[in-house]
Amino acid sequence: MSQSWNDIVPQPKKSRLRWLIYVILAFVYVWAFSGIPYSGIKETAGQVTKAIFSGLLSPDWDFVYLPDGEDLLRGLLDTLAISILGTIISAVICIPFAFWAAANMTGSIFASGSGKVLLSLIRVFPEIVMALLFIKAVGPGSFAGVLALGLHSVGMLGKLFSEEVEQIDTGPTEALIAAGATRLQIVRFAVLPQVLPGFLSYILYRFEINLRSATILGVIGAGGIGTPLIFALSSRNWDRVGIILLGIIVMITLIDLISGAIRKKLV
């Protein structure tokens, strides 16, 4: 009787490993949910939920523009300005760090490794933590939000920039070295033309992330649309919460569409 190949050669025990992973995941989920305190549903939960949805479905259109005070348009423009300035600051600062962390630029694995470690340390702290630190240093407001986004983005942009530098074609660089060009001339004429499209694409991508982060930083007092949002939530003004969320959705959607179209032309 002929035997099949599967009978002769035993197959890997993938099924047992898969079931073991399922059991471990189930145990982790049970353990995580068991630590959540549950005190039951409040009697006013239905009433509050109804009020929230009623406010979100009937937003306060008068808050879009107020001649004598803070309104939706001013908050959105403030958020947009915070994200733009934070992105520009980080894009400028991270360039020398990116060349420092690129192995093909430093010529030493220890030098590039130290640059990568420094960029990793900068990325450790979230934007909210940095914003709280800068609020204590410079006070609440948009300036603290700009500094928080600018410093935090240095770590991620520097990492992406260094990877872009490490992927360049070494042919133009070697040709300029053979011609006797200086290090600055090599960077200017051989490196930057290759990495600039990638740099601009990463900057736009980071700007999209910073725009979302700027809306959150306002909740802790770092300026932007998050400040009126937290005030509306605290006072249970659901009509105003609805119009603010609608404005955030429209702004982020438009920015994503514009940024995506620009990045497609760059790459």
Side-chain angles (χ1 to χ4, degrees):
M1 181 182 294
S2 61
Q3 293 181 338
S4 63
W5 179 259
N6 293 334
D7 296 334
I8 299 175
V9 180
Q11 298 296 311
K13 299 180 179 180
K14 294 183 179 179
S15 59
R16 292 184 180 180
L17 179 61
R18 184 165 57 248
W19 279 107
L20 179 62
I21 293 174
Y22 291 158
V23 171
I24 294 175
L25 288 177
F27 174 77
V28 170
Y29 275 105
V30 171
W31 173 76
F33 280 101
S34 63
I36 299 177
Y38 178 73
S39 58
I41 301 176
K42 295 184 178 180
E43 297 179 356
T44 58
Q47 182 180 357
V48 172
T49 303
K50 183 179 179 181
I52 292 174
F53 279 101
S54 177
L56 294 178
L57 296 176
S58 57
D60 182 12
W61 295 103
D62 294 334
F63 185 68
V64 174
Y65 177 72
L66 297 175
D68 300 329
E70 294 183 356
D71 53 23
L72 179 64
L73 293 179
R74 290 186 180 92
L76 293 178
L77 289 176
D78 193 14
T79 302
L80 185 63
I82 291 173
S83 58
I84 291 175
L85 289 176
T87 305
I88 292 175
I89 291 173
S90 61
V92 174
I93 294 177
C94 76
I95 290 178
F97 291 98
F99 284 93
W100 177 12
N104 57 342
M105 290 289 107
T106 57
S108 171
I109 188 173
F110 297 103
S112 63
S114 62
K116 287 181 171 62
V117 170
L118 179 60
L119 293 175
S120 299
L121 291 176
I122 296 175
R123 295 198 306 273
V124 167
F125 302 98
E127 298 98 329
I128 293 181
V129 175
M130 289 189 174
L132 290 173
L133 295 176
F134 281 117
I135 286 174
K136 296 298 183 181
V138 301
S142 302
F143 187 44
V146 171
L147 294 177
L149 287 180
L151 182 58
H152 176 78
S153 300
V154 168
M156 181 55 67
L157 275 181
K159 177 180 181 296
L160 296 174
F161 282 11
S162 65
E163 293 177 352
E164 186 73 18
V165 173
E166 289 177 343
Q167 295 175 1
I168 64 173
D169 183 13
T170 58
T173 304
E174 294 174 353
L176 287 176
I177 293 175
T182 63
R183 194 172 187 85
L184 183 60
Q185 290 174 331
I186 294 172
V187 173
R188 168 66 180 83
F189 295 104
V191 178
L192 286 182
Q194 297 186 62
V195 301
L196 193 57
F199 279 12
L200 294 177
S201 179
Y202 288 137
I203 290 172
L204 289 173
Y205 178 69
R206 189 65 206 181
F207 167 63
E208 297 175 10
I209 299 176
N210 286 344
L211 183 62
R212 292 168 172 81
S213 300
T215 61
I216 301 174
L217 295 183
V219 175
I220 59 174
I225 194 62
T227 302
L229 177 60
I230 193 63
F231 287 157
L233 289 171
S234 301
S235 60
R236 300 179 184 272
N237 191 347
W238 304 117
D239 296 346
R240 184 158 295 183
V241 172
I243 191 63
I244 292 174
L245 293 179
L246 182 61
I248 293 174
I249 292 172
V250 172
M251 180 183 67
I252 291 179
T253 302
L254 290 176
I255 294 299
D256 284 351
L257 292 174
I258 296 173
S259 177
I262 297 175
R263 280 192 284 115
K264 287 181 180 180
K265 293 183 179 297
L266 289 175
V267 180

